[in-house]
Amino acid sequence: MSRIGRMPIAIPAGVTVTIGAENNVTVTGKLGTLTETFNPRMGITLEGTQLIVTRPTDDKEDKSLHGLTRALLANMVEGVTNGFSKKLEVVGVGYKVVKQGKTLQLYLGHSLMPGSGLPQARFCMTEEDGITFEVPDSNTIIVKGIDKQKVGQTAAVIRSKRPPEPYLGKGVKYTEERIRRKAGKAGK
């Protein structure tokens, strides 16, 4: 049996879970509402304050769906309770980030249109539904939201505008990467 799939998901106070037809699950909490439809082969039941995921057989596909379903449900509960965030750091001479209203402008080298001084559209990001940007200083971006997948995808799109180059480290990078690398070198 899947080690991840068999663990129950604790539902905190203030969070409501509704399981509809064909495994359409809606999770509502203080930060918002998330809805997802899961594979109908998986059994999703609410027992008291715990969410249990079961699988019908021990086939390889059912085993993988079992753990995936449980992980996605746990992320939904965590998202409406605490939310998710990704922190990005902009490194480079003259590189900076400016937030104006709901628009995030990235100044990453050749980000201005030649001759006009206006920003290129590909270096501008707009807050979508459920995703917000925080800019505590001109070199840091924090992407926040309740959907873990959307937060990760948005952070990846921002990073793809100027990925860090391997020698000097100029570009947009996750700050957690730097911490992990330092921790890995210290252990050797």
Side-chain angles (χ1 to χ4, degrees):
M1 186 170 236
S2 170
R3 291 183 183 181
I4 293 173
R6 68 179 170 199
M7 294 188 314
I9 302 166
I11 309 229
V15 175
T16 58
V17 177
T18 308
I19 303 168
E22 297 183 12
N23 281 349
N24 189 3
V25 179
T26 303
V27 181
T28 305
K30 64 180 180 181
L31 296 180
T33 302
L34 291 173
T35 302
E36 186 76 34
T37 302
F38 295 99
N39 192 315
R41 293 178 51 85
M42 295 295 112
I44 302 171
T45 56
L46 184 61
E47 297 178 6
T49 61
Q50 291 186 336
L51 203 55
I52 309 290
V53 180
T54 56
R55 65 174 184 242
T57 65
D58 284 337
D59 291 343
K60 188 174 183 179
E61 183 180 353
D62 286 343
K63 285 182 180 181
S64 62
L65 282 174
H66 189 209
L68 174 69
T69 303
R70 191 260 177 216
L72 291 174
L73 282 168
N75 285 343
M76 289 171 71
V77 171
E78 178 71 21
V80 299
T81 306
N82 300 324
F84 293 100
S85 67
K86 286 269 187 186
K87 189 173 181 182
L88 299 162
E89 184 179 10
V90 178
V91 178
V93 176
Y95 288 11
K96 68 178 182 175
V97 180
V98 176
K99 183 178 178 192
Q100 297 172 345
K102 292 187 176 239
T103 303
L104 185 72
Q105 172 62 45
L106 305 167
Y107 293 96
L108 305 171
H110 302 290
S111 58
L112 299 177
M113 294 183 56
S116 69
L118 298 173
Q120 291 184 23
R122 67 186 181 119
F123 289 100
C124 293
M125 302 277 303
T126 305
E127 291 181 353
E128 300 170 2
D129 54 321
I131 299 294
T132 59
F133 302 122
E134 287 183 11
V135 182
D137 59 26
S138 63
N139 293 329
T140 307
I141 308 165
I142 301 173
V143 182
K144 290 187 171 187
I146 61 172
D147 190 351
K148 187 174 186 178
Q149 293 174 351
K150 279 187 180 179
V151 169
Q153 289 171 351
T154 304
V157 167
I158 292 172
R159 185 176 182 266
S160 72
K161 304 295 181 190
R162 181 77 60 172
E165 56 102 3
Y167 300 107
L168 299 176
K170 289 186 350 181
V172 180
K173 56 186 173 182
Y174 297 114
T175 56
E176 292 83 10
E177 274 184 37
R178 200 174 90 200
I179 294 167
R180 270 188 262 140
R181 283 191 195 144
K182 285 184 179 178
K185 288 180 181 178
K188 290 185 179 179

